Amino acid sequence: MNKKNFYCTVLFLACLLAGSCRGTDSGKSGMDTSKEKGTFGYDLHYLSQRDSLVVLSADGGRAQVIVSPGYQAKVFTSTADGAEGKSLGFVNYKVFESGVIDEHMNGYGGENRFWLGPEGGRYSVFFRPDAEQVYANWHTPGPVDTEPWEAVYVDRRTVSLKKEMEVTNYPGAVLKLRADRNISIVETPEIQFGLGISLQAGVKAVAYTTENRIVNLNDFAWTDTTGTICIWILDMFNTAPRAVTLIPFREGSESELGKIVTSDYFGEIPADRLKIKKNVIFLKTDGKYRSKLGLNSRRTLSLAGNYDPDAGRLTVITYDVDRDAVYLSQEWNPAKDPLTGDAMNAYNDGPLDDGSIMGPFLELESVSPAAFLQPMQSLDHRHTVYHFLGGEKELSPLTEKLFGVTVQEIKSVFE
């Protein structure tokens, strides 16, 4: 399919699903007033005025996913109930409306985005060589922040995108690479098979898998001397007063598996916001306190989730983990061993010292092992997102099966 036909197909799908194909309105945001804010239809119309979107669909159109080539191959949002259903991703309208390109990061949102790590440390690709690793010097690489990607294939269920890029790391090496990203929506029978679950009547679901690859385009190997990178996948969702992230972990001694959780990325998380019960880590995600935690590759079970009782939403992620591989440190500390990092992270947004806030949003994140690659060698990382909507009675069997805790236990953990 040539580029012209591709974008015609994309535009047709966006218009068909949004119910209109207007140009940008002259109002503040070009909003589709026929759709209520918070619905998928509203966000589809809003985003379609900013990019030629790809809309994937499954289950007869009830499940849909918005992918944006222009905004770095993000999955912006999804729905389990068509255009009138809830928009399940975080879309940062205030960043769009500002019209300002931020030198540090442009947080447009997106419930699944592709980044490169490490963020900080000896191999950082967010800090120039010899710069002090503080916020003033922190800059997200353009290819994963502001530059468009190319969509090379699209059909009803799948889109493939690519981007050639260069990033300069803290040691001063210019790393050249190609990133490939394949996003596929998942039908309900595949959801049940993939997670080993049975969905009760009344549960609505949407899911998609992202297959992510980086290829070394340099004429030299990426080593501990040149520095290296990793694939970093981040999911942004809406916070809520009673929303809780839950992460099961592998039991065992610290001498064998390392500490259960790293909880001091931004200072130690207070005890009333972080609990460990029944081999599950619970993090309050109300968007009122900035906090981040991480699990290493030996502790993680390749599974995490977030439950919002008020919205009746259970989100689950799964991701690749290699327990014998090296993972890179993301901490803003060049003195730390760069080869001792986490395989997954969770984040709750909150006000900065000056009172400003980017979201609020919550994040579930996974990273690949360190990419010690020879020229033209590649590294892959798979990450899947599942959303389930329903009542407590319908969702509790899922939390019990996947995490070993009931919905009531999740709701009461911080009470």
Side-chain angles (χ1 to χ4, degrees):
M1 179 181 293
N2 62 38
K3 186 175 290 187
K4 179 179 179 181
N5 289 340
F6 164 77
Y7 282 112
C8 287
T9 301
V10 171
L11 185 59
F12 170 76
L13 286 171
C15 294
L16 179 65
L17 292 165
S20 65
C21 191
R22 308 173 192 164
T24 302
D25 295 342
S26 58
K28 181 179 178 182
S29 62
M31 299 174 184
D32 180 2
T33 55
S34 70
K35 301 292 190 300
E36 182 181 353
K37 192 172 185 178
T39 65
F40 182 80
Y42 178 99
D43 283 344
L44 177 57
H45 184 84
Y46 185 91
L47 295 167
S48 68
Q49 297 177 75
R50 290 154 176 82
D51 188 23
S52 297
L53 306 173
V54 177
V55 181
L56 309 178
S57 66
D59 296 330
R62 180 173 54 80
Q64 298 176 29
V65 172
I66 296 174
V67 181
S68 173
Y71 287 88
Q72 303 78 54
K74 287 180 174 71
V75 174
F76 255 116
T77 190
S78 60
T79 178
D81 200 20
E84 304 300 326
K86 294 176 182 177
S87 185
L88 298 171
F90 171 73
V91 179
N92 202 341
Y93 308 109
K94 66 183 180 183
V95 172
F96 279 109
E97 302 301 336
S98 73
V100 175
I101 300 299
D102 190 285
E103 65 170 306
H104 300 291
M105 173 193 172
N106 291 273
Y108 296 107
E111 68 168 84
N112 182 274
R113 73 182 191 271
F114 179 103
W115 263 18
L116 295 173
E119 181 177 8
R122 202 179 306 168
Y123 297 156
S124 172
V125 292
F126 286 69
F127 293 95
R128 291 291 179 178
D130 299 323
E132 184 182 3
Q133 294 196 1
V134 296
Y135 182 77
N137 299 324
W138 178 81
H139 302 281
T140 307
V144 296
D145 185 47
T146 56
E147 298 176 15
W149 288 40
E150 180 185 358
V152 295
Y153 175 82
V154 63
D155 61 26
R156 179 180 64 85
R157 289 188 55 185
T158 301
V159 59
S160 298
L161 308 103
K162 70 176 183 178
K163 175 74 173 178
E164 290 193 6
M165 59 185 80
E166 296 182 2
V167 292
T168 301
N169 65 13
Y170 201 64
V174 178
L175 304 183
K176 300 179 181 180
L177 64 141
R178 188 184 76 242
D180 299 313
R181 185 157 152 86
N182 190 75
I183 303 165
S184 300
I185 197 167
V186 182
E187 302 276 355
T188 293
E190 299 171 80
I191 293 174
Q192 296 183 113
F193 178 79
L195 289 177
I197 58 173
S198 296
L199 297 181
Q200 296 190 12
V203 175
K204 297 173 181 177
V206 58
Y208 55 90
T209 292
T210 71
E211 297 170 302
N212 307 276
R213 170 176 292 176
I214 54 176
V215 182
N216 178 357
L217 298 185
N218 284 114
D219 58 3
F220 58 84
W222 298 343
T223 67
D224 55 1
T225 301
T226 65
T228 188
I229 53 177
C230 61
I231 297 170
W232 187 8
I233 305 299
L234 304 95
D235 302 324
M236 301 176 79
F237 307 116
N238 294 294
T239 59
R242 297 197 294 164
V244 176
T245 283
L246 53 160
I247 308 166
F249 63 89
R250 175 171 280 100
E251 292 183 277
S253 67
E254 287 199 15
S255 61
E256 179 185 3
L257 301 178
K259 60 184 175 181
I260 293 173
V261 59
T262 299
S263 55
D264 59 353
Y265 274 87
F266 305 128
E268 194 62 46
I269 303 172
D272 63 346
R273 291 187 161 272
L274 178 66
K275 303 285 186 185
I276 300 178
K277 294 184 177 182
K278 296 180 67 172
N279 305 321
V280 178
I281 300 162
F282 299 89
L283 176 69
K284 186 181 289 189
T285 51
D286 57 1
K288 295 182 179 179
Y289 188 90
R290 188 167 179 256
S291 50
K292 181 176 179 177
L293 60 78
L295 275 71
N296 68 40
S297 61
R298 297 175 300 282
R299 287 290 188 183
T300 179
L301 296 175
S302 306
L303 178 72
N306 185 271
Y307 177 63
D308 178 2
D310 299 318
R313 173 193 55 77
L314 173 66
T315 296
V316 176
I317 69 164
T318 61
Y319 45 91
D320 289 344
V321 172
D322 183 344
R323 305 196 190 287
D324 298 320
V326 172
Y327 284 78
L328 300 176
S329 171
Q330 303 259 31
E331 296 182 39
W332 294 14
N333 180 7
K336 183 174 180 178
D337 183 349
L339 306 181
T340 56
D342 289 325
M344 78 83 54
N345 296 97
Y347 175 78
N348 177 54
D349 201 18
L352 299 171
D353 291 341
D354 62 3
S356 65
I357 187 168
M358 183 172 293
F361 54 85
L362 66 93
E363 286 184 326
L364 298 173
E365 311 170 8
S366 72
V367 298
S368 74
F372 290 114
L373 302 178
Q374 296 293 322
M376 296 309 299
Q377 192 175 14
S378 64
L379 178 143
D380 295 338
H381 183 68
R382 178 189 292 248
H383 181 114
T384 302
V385 177
Y386 306 83
H387 294 292
F388 303 99
L389 301 180
E392 293 183 14
K393 181 179 179 181
E394 292 78 27
L395 294 181
S396 196
L398 299 181
T399 62
E400 292 178 66
K401 171 74 173 179
L402 296 171
F403 301 100
V405 293
T406 66
V407 160
Q408 186 56 43
E409 288 176 301
I410 301 170
K411 287 174 57 180
S412 64
V413 71
F414 290 111
E415 291 180 357

